[in-house]
Structures are given as C-alpha cells and as structure tokens.
Amino acid sequence: MSRTAVVTGSASGIGRATVERLAADGVRVIGVDLRDADVEADLGTPAGRAAATAAIRDEVPLDAVVCCAGVEAKGDVTVRVNYFGVVELLEGLRPLLAASPAPRAVVVASFAAIHPSVDPELVEACLAGDEPRAVAACAGAQAADPPRSAYASSKQALVRWVRRSAPTPAWAGSGIALNAVAPGVIATPMTQYRLDDTARRAALLDVVPMPLHGPGEPEHVASLLAWLASPENVLVTGQVVFVDGGAEAAVRGEEGWRT
C-alpha cells in the first residue's frame, strides 16, 4: 500500500533521519522546514502554520504526520515552535488523516518533559491553547530564580496534549493513532556543541543518564517513529515512548507503577 507522510523539521537531525527511513520504506515524504524542504514554512508563527497546512492540503491523500521540528532557544520561539507549531499543524491536518485507511500521527517530545525545571503556568497556558498567555508565561519562567525551562515546559505540555487527545473521538474515534516519543541525548545540531565539550557532555549526561549505549544517533529515533507511523501500528496510541537508553527508568525508577 503506497503511503504519504509529512515530516516536519525535515532538513536536519531526527527529522532528516526520519525522512530517509520512510523513503527507504517506500513512503512518499513531504518535508516541512524553514528551508531546504518541500514546504518551507516557519511553524513558530500562525501565518507559517497556516501556510504549511494549506500547502500540504494540496498533496492529499495523507496517511501520516511525524512532527520532529523543535528548538531550544531564548525567548518565546521555543514554545511557539515546540507546542503551538506541532498542535496547530496536527489539528489542521487531522481531517486529511481521517480519510486514510491507516492514519498515524507521531510527535517528538523529550526526556526533558519530566525535568523539575518545568513551569506549571507555562504548561497550563499551552494546554489552554492561549498562545499570548504562554508567551507571557515563557518570559516569566525565564526570569524566575532559578529560571524555569521553556523547552522542558513546552515538551511536557506536548506529551500531556497527546495523552489528552489520543483517546478522544476526534483521534482514536477517527482511527488515528497519536503518540509521542521522548528521546534522551541524541547527537543532533541542537546538542552537538554540548557533546563536543567534555565538561558540558558530563553535565548533560549527569542530568540524562543513559546506561544503555549512551548518547544516541538520529537514526535510533527515526526507526521507532517510522514504525509508529506505519500501518503495522494498530493498537499503540496515547503513549509516550522514551528513547533514552534507560534514562527515564534510571531517574524515576518504579514511580510510574506505584499505586
């Protein structure tokens, strides 16, 4: 069965590896990124999200959307791209996915979603769909003492949105499997400068311990994304799958299974 998939953040890192993996599996891929993509759009702005959605609508049928685009930067761009850029694109494309015989949606979250630097106000503003409030909360989080992480907050909001949305009539009721993956430390342009510096690498792995094989490569995440986006995934939905070499288990232990 021929399939068509959208991959955001397609020009580099996990997004690029996912494009290559899906293409190798015979999937037609529509890449979305700021540049060097089939659809060039800024998912950090409402206009860019609308333009990307409109461009993709011209490419129907659509079977899968894999949202890999993400940033870690100062200011509000982090929350605009990592949360609103993902959720608005998926909501805009959901009617197209629902027309597929095997629709799938996957987002790239992060191990950072469980980090204690998450700002509750920023998370709640995201989940309320209030971008101006989220932008204001982002500024407040970064000015706090100690600072709260806009990146970790945006990723926690994203996984909570996935968990909240996946079992609803709009998603599961339409046959759309919706999941998230949460990578640990992966060698991408976002993290490479830390991995290349001995002190920064040690500090990073102190926060994100990875007892199984240490820092990973984009291809390690892409293989799971490709399966979650495939027709083979029939029953997995609403899940946050950690691709982190055991970091989440090492940090939280049995916490998630205690009654």
Side-chain angles (χ1 to χ4, degrees):
M1 178 174 61
S2 177
R3 287 174 65 80
T4 297
V6 166
V7 176
T8 71
S10 60
S12 65
I14 294 171
R16 182 174 179 178
T18 302
V19 169
E20 293 172 353
R21 173 56 186 265
L22 289 172
D25 291 342
V27 177
R28 174 181 174 243
V29 182
I30 303 168
V32 180
D33 214 315
L34 282 170
R35 59 190 65 85
D36 300 325
D38 303 299
V39 176
E40 296 184 350
D42 182 358
L43 299 179
T45 67
R49 298 164 206 155
T53 302
I56 294 165
R57 282 177 180 154
D58 293 335
E59 300 290 342
V60 291
L62 180 62
D63 301 290
V65 180
V66 184
C67 293
C68 301
V71 298
E72 183 180 19
K74 293 181 179 180
D76 56 42
V77 65
T78 296
V79 70
R80 290 186 184 277
V81 173
N82 294 3
Y83 183 81
F84 292 97
V86 174
V87 171
E88 287 191 20
L89 187 71
L90 282 175
E91 291 286 12
L93 296 177
R94 182 173 51 80
L96 300 184
L97 285 172
S100 168
R104 309 287 182 259
V106 198
V107 307
V108 174
S110 172
F111 172 88
I114 67 169
H115 194 269
S117 63
V118 166
D119 183 76
E121 166 60 17
L122 178 49
V123 173
E124 291 304 322
C126 289
L127 291 171
D130 190 338
E131 191 164 356
R133 176 184 161 199
V135 167
C138 184
Q142 293 173 345
D145 185 18
R148 313 297 285 177
S149 171
Y151 180 80
S153 302
S154 67
K155 294 299 188 178
Q156 185 177 110
L158 186 58
V159 298
R160 287 180 59 184
W161 177 83
V162 167
R163 295 281 291 173
R164 176 182 296 182
S165 302
T168 64
W171 291 91
S174 297
I176 308 171
L178 171 63
N179 292 285
V181 301
V185 180
I186 305 297
T188 67
M190 184 186 298
T191 60
Q192 195 64 56
Y193 77 98
R194 291 172 176 156
L195 293 175
D196 289 341
D197 180 275
T198 301
R200 284 175 170 166
R201 180 188 181 97
L204 181 59
L205 292 177
D206 185 57
V207 175
V208 192
M210 298 180 67
L212 180 66
H213 301 316
E217 297 294 330
E219 293 76 15
H220 301 147
V221 183
S223 61
L224 177 59
L225 290 168
W227 184 84
L228 288 169
S230 75
E232 293 182 4
N233 172 24
V234 176
L235 293 178
V236 178
T237 196
Q239 301 305 303
V240 182
V241 186
F242 286 84
V243 191
D244 62 0
E248 185 268 343
V251 169
R252 297 208 296 186
E254 300 176 27
E255 178 182 329
W257 291 97
R258 290 175 181 164
T259 59

